């Protein structure tokens, strides 16, 4: 049974799909006005680890939706107030570029970086700017049910006092909340009736870029309403897990919870899972702090991007981790060592997985994603001389489906480049794939020998076989 820490109950909770075998997961995504740093990516890897654990250990599929915020995330969203300027528009002005051009640029970069960290793609990446209608519908519903009102300034606000369990996620109490930014509050939220209310729709003039016409006039959406509208629309009125970084617990997720539940009349998110921050130089990695590290920086230092992923796995998701170049270099060396070992073991006669290690890794992952313990179990297997190399290979190949480290990567030759294969080799490779699927290790070994005689070396990885020419030709 997979267990994760639920921020709302503050306990380990059993995780299972509420519908059939499909785990529904919503992962708060990037705000695309700048590069995503490896701190942000740590949070995205958390969602990926949950879906991999579900798929590999429990036979579930994952339906993952991750939003792309290209409008509405204001520069000062940390307090109760939605105040300040839109992060997208600030960036557009600073760079003298169109905000949507910036958004598409960083969205593409985000997708590339997720790929470089082996984060499986989401089923959908809805963009805020393309879901305005969904948000407008939701806001209209909230006004109709008296959970929201149009303020004197033309903006629409959620009435925090209309939602009695407000604060259950973060532990905040309405009466304890006070406007954190009085100046901004006075300037920008003049129309609200209560200090803890927040804007669902911000009234704005036509001189602002990125405005839409609505029953309440021209304006743009608040950031929190985006995630309610998208999750309800794409995942339905109940879904299994919602992830994000710990900074999103309040106000973003507290407000999302209020909006969604007020709209449908019942609990929407079954489990809230938050990842702790990645630090650098002892402080939260953030653009404003000036301590960001990008995947590009890691590559520029000569490291494999997946060293970052291995580094994350050395800590638990609910612990802060401090990134250093030494730690990253260490992760890179370990990655290279394991890949070399896996390639060596791949040459040995096939053998079933080492079941004790499989159990330890399974238990560790199921126990609130205890990845450090899983790595220890694999490290011990690596060094255990009593275990056959073929068994080590199979175990690491299996574990890599959870870890996502490309441990059986062969360098330089795409698997499907069949033009470089000698006659008859393709058929033997296909036959060997079938033998492996049928767990017919004897046939699989025999076919590998036949391929070796043709000058083709095959290795096995989590996604199947890959091959290389041993005579140096392509
Ligand atoms: P943003 O692009 O700012 O909307 O952030 C995207 C995701 O990254 C959110 O889930 C944040 O909670 C998360 N995040 C931001 N900074 C960090 C950090 N230093 N470590 C881990 N996650 C972070
Ligand atoms: Zn969100």
């Amino acid at each position: 049974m997979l267990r994760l820490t639920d921020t709302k109950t503050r306990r380990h909770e059993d995780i299972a799909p509420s519908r059939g075998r499909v785990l529904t997961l919503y992962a708060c995504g990037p705000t695309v006005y700048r590069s995503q740093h490896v701190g942000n990516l740590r949070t995205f890897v958390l969602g990926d680890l949950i879906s991999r654990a579900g798929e590999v250990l429990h036979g579930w599929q994952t339906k993952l939706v991750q939003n792309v915020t290209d409008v509405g995330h204001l520069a000062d969203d940390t307090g109760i107030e939605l105040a300040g300027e839109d992060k997208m528009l600030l960036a557009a002005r600073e760079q003298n570029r169109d905000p949507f051009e910036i958004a598409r640029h960083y969205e593409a970069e985000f997708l590339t970086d997720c790929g470089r960290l082996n984060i499986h793609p989401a089923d959908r990446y809805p963009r805020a700017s393309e879901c305005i209608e969904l948000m407008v519908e939701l806001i209209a519903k909230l006004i109709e049910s008296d959970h929201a009102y149009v303020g004197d300034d033309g903006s629409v606000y959620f009435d925090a006092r209309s939602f009695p369990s407000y604060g259950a996620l973060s532990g905040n109490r309405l009466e304890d909340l006070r406007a954190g930014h009085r100046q901004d509050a006075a300037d920008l939220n003049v129309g609200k009736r209560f200090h803890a209310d927040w804007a669902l729709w911000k009234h704005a003039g036509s001189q602002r870029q990125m405005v839409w016409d609505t029953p309440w006039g021209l304006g743009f959406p608040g950031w929190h309403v985006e995630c309610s509208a998208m999750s309800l629309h794409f995942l339905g009125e109940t879904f299994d897990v919602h992830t994000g970084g710990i900074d999103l617990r309040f106000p973003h997720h507290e407000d999302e919870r209020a909006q969604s539940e007020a709209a449908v009349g019942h609990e929407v998110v079954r489990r809230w899972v938050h990842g702790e921050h990645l630090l650098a130089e002892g402080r939260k990695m953030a653009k404003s702090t000036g301590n960001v590290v990008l995947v590009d920086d890691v590559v520029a230092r000569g490291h494999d991007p997946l060293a970052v992923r291995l580094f994350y796995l050395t800590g638990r998701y609910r612990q802060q981790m401090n990134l250093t170049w030494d730690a990253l270099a260490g992760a890179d060396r370990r990655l290279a060592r394991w890949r070399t070992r896996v390639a060596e073991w791949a040459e040995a006669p096939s053998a079933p997985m080492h079941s004790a290690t499989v159990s330890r890794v399974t238990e560790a992952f199921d126990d609130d994603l205890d990845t450090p313990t899983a790595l220890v179990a694999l490290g011990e297997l690596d060094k255990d001389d009593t275990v056959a190399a073929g068994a080590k290979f199979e175990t690491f190949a299996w574990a890599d489906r959870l870890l996502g480290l490309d441990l059986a990567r062969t360098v330089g030759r795409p698997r499907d480049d069949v033009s470089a294969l000698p006659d008859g080799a393709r058929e033997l490779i296909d036959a060997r794939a079938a033998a492996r699927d049928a767990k017919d290790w004897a046939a699989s070994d025999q076919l590998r020998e036949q391929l070796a005689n043709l000058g083709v070396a095959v290795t096995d990885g989590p996604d199947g076989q890959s091959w290389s020419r041993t005579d140096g030709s392509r």
Side-chain angles (χ1 to χ4, degrees):
M1 176 61 80
L2 176 62
R3 291 168 75 75
L4 297 172
T5 302
D6 182 351
T7 308
K8 183 158 158 274
T9 64
R10 292 157 179 79
R11 285 200 313 255
H12 280 194
E13 300 287 357
D14 294 347
I15 303 294
S18 48
R19 275 164 297 186
R21 304 196 67 74
V22 180
L23 189 80
T24 39
L25 186 64
Y26 186 90
C28 265
T31 309
V32 285
Y33 69 105
R34 50 136 173 84
S35 298
Q36 292 291 299
H37 50 68
V38 297
N40 302 128
L41 289 158
R42 182 184 183 201
T43 293
F44 304 149
V45 165
L46 166 63
D48 191 54
L49 291 173
I50 296 171
S51 59
R52 282 172 184 261
E55 283 162 21
V56 177
L57 304 179
H58 302 286
W60 308 332
Q61 290 169 4
T62 310
K63 184 172 178 191
L64 170 66
V65 174
Q66 184 165 35
N67 62 310
V68 172
T69 303
D70 58 359
V71 63
H73 191 165
L74 303 189
D76 186 5
D77 261 352
T78 47
I80 306 152
E81 303 297 331
L82 262 177
E85 264 204 273
D86 193 306
K87 291 186 177 190
M88 291 301 317
L89 292 181
L90 268 179
R93 207 172 52 235
E94 275 165 22
Q95 298 171 31
N96 198 19
R97 284 163 77 190
D98 178 73
F100 285 113
E101 187 195 326
I102 294 179
R104 300 303 170 255
H105 170 83
Y106 288 114
E107 178 187 308
E109 190 186 82
F110 150 74
L111 293 172
T112 303
D113 283 347
C114 285
R116 295 204 282 184
L117 290 199
N118 266 351
I119 297 170
H120 287 155
D123 295 277
R124 298 191 84 108
Y125 293 102
R127 294 170 176 150
S129 65
E130 291 170 0
C131 294
I132 300 292
E133 251 175 66
L134 294 178
M135 299 185 224
V136 168
E137 269 171 39
L138 178 67
I139 295 168
K141 206 168 172 180
L142 291 170
I143 294 176
E144 223 169 272
S145 57
D146 279 338
H147 287 290
Y149 58 90
V150 182
D152 296 338
D153 58 351
S155 295
V156 183
Y157 295 95
F158 189 93
D159 175 2
R161 287 172 296 185
S162 76
F163 186 70
S165 72
Y166 187 81
L169 191 58
S170 59
N172 285 310
R173 293 185 319 165
L174 268 187
E175 55 271 29
D176 296 338
L177 295 172
R178 283 284 167 263
H181 306 273
R182 286 179 186 280
Q183 187 63 42
D184 291 339
D187 290 347
L188 288 149
N189 289 304
V190 286
K192 66 183 189 178
R193 298 174 187 158
F194 183 65
H195 62 81
D197 296 350
W198 64 92
L200 300 171
W201 188 262
K202 302 280 291 178
H203 178 74
S206 57
Q207 69 284 2
R208 186 190 194 269
Q209 280 177 293
M210 299 199 295
V211 286
W212 288 264
D213 204 5
T214 69
W216 320 290
L218 279 184
F220 62 99
W223 175 40
H224 316 313
V225 79
E226 162 188 343
C227 289
S228 284
M230 289 180 179
S231 59
L232 286 170
H233 181 77
F234 293 110
L235 291 176
E237 287 193 5
T238 304
F239 61 93
D240 299 316
V241 179
H242 194 313
T243 60
I246 192 69
D247 53 309
L248 301 191
R249 180 179 46 177
F250 184 85
H252 186 54
H253 288 161
E254 194 71 76
D255 293 356
E256 176 186 332
R257 177 175 170 269
Q259 294 155 176
S260 299
E261 294 190 16
V264 301
H266 58 77
E267 187 156 73
V268 173
V269 176
R270 294 175 74 212
R271 300 293 171 208
W272 294 91
V273 180
H274 289 102
E276 255 299 347
H277 285 142
L278 184 73
L279 316 182
E281 296 147 19
R283 298 173 69 192
K284 177 191 168 191
M285 188 175 286
K287 191 181 180 207
S288 53
T289 312
N291 60 351
V292 300
V293 173
L294 307 183
V295 177
D296 273 344
D297 300 328
V298 173
V299 172
R301 294 243 183 169
H303 298 313
D304 189 308
L306 289 174
V308 177
R309 186 167 171 123
L310 178 53
F311 170 75
Y312 298 151
L313 299 176
T314 61
R316 294 188 75 161
Y317 74 92
R318 287 193 304 116
Q319 288 171 342
Q320 292 186 341
M321 292 183 85
N322 192 48
L323 183 76
T324 62
W325 287 109
D326 275 356
L328 216 46
D332 201 17
R333 283 194 298 275
R334 186 179 191 182
L335 192 60
R337 193 177 66 241
W338 271 0
R339 284 192 184 138
T340 307
R341 301 281 281 153
V342 169
E344 285 164 13
W345 299 330
E347 302 298 323
S350 301
M353 292 197 286
H354 186 250
S355 55
T357 306
V358 170
S359 302
R360 285 175 71 191
V361 171
T362 301
E363 277 163 28
F365 261 79
D366 273 351
D367 177 19
D368 206 19
L369 303 177
D370 184 356
T371 51
T373 297
L375 293 180
V376 167
L378 289 164
E380 285 175 15
L381 178 67
D382 172 13
K383 295 193 175 69
D384 188 340
D385 294 336
T386 67
V387 179
K392 291 184 181 182
F393 173 78
E394 291 296 336
T395 313
F396 268 72
W398 166 83
D400 198 32
R401 291 174 57 209
L402 289 164
L403 306 171
L405 297 172
D406 279 359
L407 293 179
R409 177 192 282 173
T410 42
V411 185
R413 287 196 175 78
R415 266 207 309 270
D416 53 359
D417 183 7
V418 289
S419 62
L421 280 171
D423 285 349
R426 175 84 258 170
E427 291 72 17
L428 292 176
I429 286 174
D430 290 345
R432 189 166 177 275
R436 288 181 55 76
D437 284 347
K439 300 205 180 327
D440 185 348
W441 309 121
S444 149
D445 284 346
Q446 202 188 0
L447 286 158
R448 176 154 60 192
E449 246 178 78
Q450 282 178 261
L451 281 159
N453 291 337
L454 289 177
V456 177
V458 282
T459 45
D460 303 295
D463 301 324
Q465 307 176 89
S466 49
W467 57 269
S468 55
R469 294 289 297 263
T470 48
D471 54 8
S473 64
R474 280 208 54 110

